Every structure is written in structure tokens, then in C-alpha cells.
Amino acid sequence: MKSVIAENLVKTYDKGKVRALDGLSLDVEEGTVLSVLGPNGAGKTTVVRILTTLLRPDSGKASVAGIDVIKHPEKVREVIGLSGQYAAVDEILTGYDNLVMFGELYHLGKKQSVIRANELLERFSLTEAAKRPIKTYSGGMRRRLDLAASLIVKPKVLFLDEPTTGLDPRGRQEMWGVIQELVKGGVTLLLTTQYLEEADQLADEIAVIDTGKVIARGTSDALKKQVGGERLEVVVEQAHVAKTMEIVAAVSGQKPALDEGLRLISAPVSTGSAALFEVLKSLDTAGIHALDVGLKRPSLDDVFLSLTGHVAEEKSA
């Protein structure tokens, strides 16, 4: 069953001159994680805002948990949670007061709001800081509280728009653990992220979007296979670069790429370890000592560069 469906969504700005979404279609299977990746301005945040009823599309259809987003936005809001790129909590209030306030905004009533706030504070390891103002929280604590607020109504579908932006590696790892726990509990998740490692770690499937359209979709492994097989990489002294280029070309049957600064010669190979062994043998015969040599599988960075023409570091929204 599809928990999220978007069909041919179009959204334009500046009297149609800017097309944020250009016929975008995607869906998310119930109980799974779909990660949406794309360079800056690809349309990631726009599609999240439409699916969470914050923005109306110019055309197209969308539904969440079987509810039409455009016709019944109020019903959609009852079954979803949203955590945006920036923490939406009140810095003056305490963590506890923030969660109680969110509960009352969702019409849970005072008693149930207090119960739910205490449950979430414990779940996100924020009980000790519950009575402190948010302005005293670290970035990681704020992000955890923001995610907790999005779970006040125990949503069927959760939208996380770059949930770990600004977190250090430890905070990111902690947030990943929380997200994985939520999915195990049956929550359907649509995740946008600027961290390719995050998509690799969390997503059942990945949708790559660019210029407002989905240009590729599949599992992480499937997308990597689209880029090609393994790459052979060899680092040598400057004096041996030219000869090593010849050897790698002969073994791979491809024109090698050269990073002159690193003296790194690389080329795609289809025979994996056999090609590696052959290159090492040829280098030894030529009297060349490799400073570093190995095989590299394609990464999601390679997928990005291949599909969009943008390196991953260029995207932020």
C-alpha cells in the first residue's frame, strides 16, 4: 500500500518563469523510508511543503495515508508529522512547555498533552533538560526536541526535511538511531537530506530529483550500479605517472583519469580483483612501486555527479 503518492506536481513562481516542480511524481510504500536527494534548487523542500499542506501546487495530485492533500488538508494534518530544516521550537520556553504547547495546538487536551510530552522527553533522552529554556540547548538537543514535537500526534507518515542539518557527526549518528527506531515502529518516512551517507544509511529507496523532476529512483546499490562497476585507483611518484597511465590503460581498456595533485590514476574496470592483480604485476615488472592501490565501488557522490552534473557539496535545499 502506498502511504504517499504525488502525481505530476507542478509549482511555479515569478509568474511561471521559475518552475520549482515540473511534473514531479513519486510514491512511498507504507512502513518504508524514501530519501529524496537533489542539488540546490531541485525542488526537494517544495514537494515536502505540498505534501504537508503548507503549499498548494499549480497542478497535479497528491495524497497522504489515502487522504487528498488538496481537498482535505485538515485531515492530512491529523495523520502526519513534519520536522523542517530549522528547529521550530520556542527558545524562551522550556523543552517541556514546548511539547505541551504543541499537544494543545493539536487539540489533545491539557492532561493528554502532559502525558505525551513526558513520554517524548524520555524517549529522546531530554528528561534532565526538560525544565531548561531551549536557548540553553545544544544544536543536537534542539533537533531532537523538534523531532519529538513532530511526533506529538503519533503520525502515520513523517516528513523530515534535512533533519540533521548543522549537527556534528555524533549528533547525526544519534538522530539516525532515533529515525531507525521510528521506522521499526511502523512509521512511513519521506526524508530529504544533503548528506549522501544519511540516505545510504536510512533509505529503503532513493529518489534523485533535479530541475523539479525525478530523474532516477532505486535502492542505493541499484543507483550505484547505474554509474558503472568498480574503479581501479593507483598512486605513484611523479616520475612514474606516465608509465602507470599506460599500464592502467592497457589493463582497463579505458583512458585513465589523472588527478595531478594527488598523482592518482584511475579507470573503470569490469574484472575487479583480477584487474588489480594484473596492474600490480605489470607495475612490478616495470620496477614501479605503487604508493597506494585499490578498487573503489561507486558511491552516492558518484551517482550525484553522473546524474545531475553537480557534486554533492553544492546542494543544501
Side-chain angles (χ1 to χ4, degrees):
M1 179 180 175
K2 307 293 184 182
S3 284
V4 178
I5 300 174
E7 297 180 359
N8 299 313
L9 291 179
V10 173
K11 183 62 182 179
T12 62
Y13 297 99
D14 194 17
K15 298 181 179 180
K17 295 178 182 178
V18 178
R19 291 181 83 82
L21 298 181
D22 189 14
L24 182 142
S25 297
L26 57 77
D27 56 69
V28 189
E29 194 74 28
E30 183 178 1
T32 67
V33 180
L34 175 69
S35 182
V36 178
L37 302 179
N40 185 36
K44 302 188 300 297
T45 297
T46 300
V47 71
V48 168
R49 293 187 68 197
I50 288 173
L51 291 170
T52 55
T53 76
L54 297 176
L55 187 67
R56 287 181 65 89
D58 297 337
S59 61
K61 298 187 296 183
S63 65
V64 175
I67 306 167
D68 190 296
V69 169
I70 300 168
K71 293 180 180 178
H72 305 291
E74 71 290 341
K75 293 183 179 179
V76 171
R77 293 175 199 133
E78 293 175 0
V79 297
I80 66 170
L82 168 65
S83 179
Q85 293 182 25
Y86 307 101
V89 290
D90 189 319
E91 291 195 352
I92 298 176
L93 297 179
T94 66
Y96 169 83
D97 289 337
N98 263 282
L99 293 183
V100 171
M101 177 185 69
F102 275 102
E104 292 182 327
L105 288 172
Y106 276 106
H107 308 293
L108 295 184
K110 181 69 173 181
K111 182 178 180 181
Q112 188 58 38
S113 295
V114 168
I115 292 172
R116 188 67 178 141
N118 286 322
E119 289 176 350
L120 290 167
L121 287 166
E122 183 175 356
R123 183 175 189 179
F124 286 87
S125 302
L126 291 169
T127 302
E128 291 185 6
K131 298 298 184 179
R132 285 167 42 194
I134 300 303
K135 61 185 177 182
T136 67
Y137 281 24
S138 67
M141 293 169 69
R142 291 182 187 215
R143 296 305 289 165
R144 294 207 305 274
L145 185 70
D146 193 50
L147 183 54
S150 71
L151 299 174
I152 284 286
V153 294
K154 298 182 180 181
K156 295 180 180 178
V157 183
L158 182 61
F159 295 88
L160 301 183
D161 191 11
E162 301 189 10
T164 61
T165 296
L167 296 186
D168 59 25
R170 180 178 178 181
R172 195 171 301 131
Q173 290 280 351
E174 290 176 350
M175 186 65 80
W176 290 354
V178 170
I179 292 171
Q180 288 169 331
E181 180 187 341
L182 291 171
V183 176
K184 286 179 182 178
V187 173
T188 301
L189 175 60
L190 189 148
L191 166 76
T192 76
T193 179
Q194 60 175 309
Y195 300 110
L196 301 181
E197 182 187 1
E198 188 160 271
D200 228 345
Q201 180 82 14
L202 299 174
D204 295 294
E205 280 197 297
I206 296 169
V208 181
I209 70 175
D210 197 18
T211 61
K213 293 176 286 200
V214 175
I215 60 172
R217 176 165 177 166
T219 64
S220 177
D221 284 342
L223 290 175
K224 291 172 185 176
K225 286 179 181 177
Q226 289 186 30
V227 177
E230 296 172 309
R231 293 187 68 84
L232 175 67
E233 298 186 342
V234 186
V235 179
V236 294
E237 296 287 359
Q238 185 63 46
H240 302 306
V241 167
K243 181 60 178 178
T244 303
M245 292 274 286
E246 293 178 12
I247 291 172
V248 172
V251 171
S252 68
Q254 303 284 336
K255 182 180 179 180
L258 171 63
D259 184 322
E260 295 183 1
L262 298 175
R263 304 182 308 283
L264 171 67
I265 297 107
S266 64
V269 292
S270 59
T271 54
S273 57
L276 176 62
F277 178 77
E278 189 175 347
V279 163
L280 286 171
K281 183 178 178 180
S282 298
L283 289 172
D284 185 59
T285 300
I288 299 172
H289 172 67
L291 301 178
D292 193 13
V293 61
L295 291 171
K296 178 190 174 186
R297 290 188 63 211
S299 67
L300 281 180
D301 290 275
D302 298 320
V303 172
F304 243 96
L305 186 58
S306 173
L307 293 174
T308 72
H310 302 266
V311 295
E313 288 77 12
E314 288 179 341
K315 63 186 194 317
S316 61

